[in-house]
């Protein structure tokens, strides 16, 4: 079994980010820095033949894609929408840090339920379900060498990465997803591989799997990790992240 490659893009910086507020699902837009971040990441993404572009319905994600990939026609995926922070939404982070729930969010997020909102565990479950469903669909429709992109939000991306790394949601605050960053994940039959994390300036073309030729047929992706580190994604070819050939 071979699978596609997922690129997770966090939207650019917003006015709420700059002001120290928790935007939640409010229709906040990109600020000048955020627009520059979106334009910059677009220069790196346009070299990649994306099989599909999927996005959170919120305007900051759609604006990011309009600047980064103006020729793309994104598909809205509700499962990638920002966490519903309920009564916390729109509040200054400095104020929220004094709420007893803040320490739960920091230290035991799997138990955090926002007043009049959703739980962090619920957010993580629907986000992971969404990307895994899309990944299977892209693989079936476009083949194992396909690369697709999903534009979403910080906590959503961190939850997806935590799942891919096999760590409990309570550890997801150790993960960073900056505005305009790209994270790469490749799922295999046994385990996902995190290929790139919080990348804000590197070359992304090495994440594109080489297409099979007449001399080299596509081979199954190995779920085994390479002992010693392996040859890297670019050198692994169709054998997958572990670089093994069977």
């Amino acid at each position: 079994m071979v699978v596609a490659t997922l690129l997770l893009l966090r939207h650019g910086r917003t006015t709420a980010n700059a002001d120290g507020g928790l935007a939640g699902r409010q229709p906040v837009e990109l600020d000048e820095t955020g627009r520059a971040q979106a334009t910059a990441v677009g220069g790196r993404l346009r070299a990649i033949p994306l099989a599909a572009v999927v996005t959170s319905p919120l305007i900051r994600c759609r604006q990011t894609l309009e600047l980064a990939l103006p020729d793309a026609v994104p598909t809205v995926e509700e499962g990638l929408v920002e966490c519903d922070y309920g009564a916390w939404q729109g509040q200054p982070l400095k104020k929220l840090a004094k709420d007893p729930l803040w320490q739960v969010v920091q230290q035991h997020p799997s138990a955090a339920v926002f007043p009049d909102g959703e739980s962090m565990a619920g957010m993580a479950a629907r986000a992971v379900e969404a990307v895994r469903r899309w990944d299977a669909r892209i693989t079936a429709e476009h083949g194992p060498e396909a690369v697709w992109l999903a534009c979403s939000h910080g906590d959503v991306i961190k939850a997806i990465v935590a799942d891919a790394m096999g760590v409990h949601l309570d550890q997801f605050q150790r993960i960073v997803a900056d505005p305009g960053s790209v994270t790469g994940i490749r799922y295999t039959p046994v385990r996902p591989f995190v290929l790139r994390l919080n990348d804000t300036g590197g070359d992304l073309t090495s994440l594109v799997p080489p297409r099979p030729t007449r001399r080299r047929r596509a081979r199954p992706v190995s779920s085994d990790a390479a002992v010693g580190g392996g040859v890297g994604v670019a050198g692994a070819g169709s054998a997958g992240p572990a670089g093994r050939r069977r």
Side-chain angles (χ1 to χ4, degrees):
M1 177 181 179
V2 283
V3 288
T5 300
L6 163 64
L7 301 183
L8 290 164
L9 170 64
R10 185 184 171 192
H11 61 77
R13 196 180 81 168
T14 68
T15 54
N17 296 145
D19 293 340
L22 183 63
R25 297 185 178 181
Q26 291 182 320
V28 298
E29 302 188 20
L30 302 184
D31 66 2
E32 183 176 350
T33 296
R35 291 192 291 272
Q37 290 169 336
T39 301
V41 75
R44 299 158 61 213
L45 289 171
R46 280 193 286 274
I48 298 177
L50 296 172
V53 176
V54 182
T55 183
S56 157
L58 297 183
I59 190 170
R60 53 192 183 269
C61 287
R62 291 186 283 113
Q63 285 179 332
T64 297
L65 291 175
E66 288 171 1
L67 291 167
L69 301 168
D71 295 329
V73 182
T75 300
V76 171
E77 169 55 60
E78 294 290 341
L80 296 176
V81 72
E82 178 64 288
C83 183
D84 184 355
Y85 297 111
W88 275 34
Q89 183 172 277
Q91 299 294 319
L93 293 174
K94 289 183 178 180
K95 176 183 176 181
L96 295 174
K98 300 176 182 179
D99 189 312
L101 181 60
W102 180 269
Q103 289 305 317
V104 180
V105 172
Q106 294 296 319
Q107 301 180 36
H108 191 23
S110 65
V113 181
F114 295 99
D116 302 320
E118 72 177 326
S119 66
M120 297 205 87
M123 173 272 291
R126 48 98 168 158
V128 169
E129 187 279 330
V131 295
R132 286 179 177 267
R133 170 169 38 84
W134 271 96
D135 197 73
R137 173 180 171 180
I138 297 301
T139 300
E141 294 181 356
H142 298 278
E145 296 82 22
V147 180
W148 65 285
L149 182 139
C151 186
S152 191
H153 310 271
D155 279 351
V156 175
I157 291 173
K158 288 162 58 177
I160 294 169
V161 172
D163 169 76
M165 296 179 70
V167 301
H168 197 280
L169 185 63
D170 286 346
Q171 306 301 320
F172 99 135
Q173 298 293 21
R174 302 183 182 201
I175 300 166
V176 176
D178 289 327
S181 66
V182 176
T183 291
I185 298 174
R186 187 169 174 85
Y187 295 95
T188 75
V190 173
R191 64 168 62 86
F193 289 91
V194 178
L195 308 176
R196 199 73 61 89
L197 180 63
N198 196 39
D199 190 323
T200 57
D203 177 19
L204 299 174
T205 56
S206 65
L207 295 176
V208 180
R211 293 191 173 277
T213 64
R214 291 182 178 179
R215 294 183 178 180
R216 184 186 64 225
R217 295 181 179 180
R219 299 185 182 184
V221 170
S222 172
S223 296
D224 293 344
V227 177
V231 298
V233 176
S238 58
R244 288 183 56 190
R245 298 188 181 277
R246 296 180 177 180

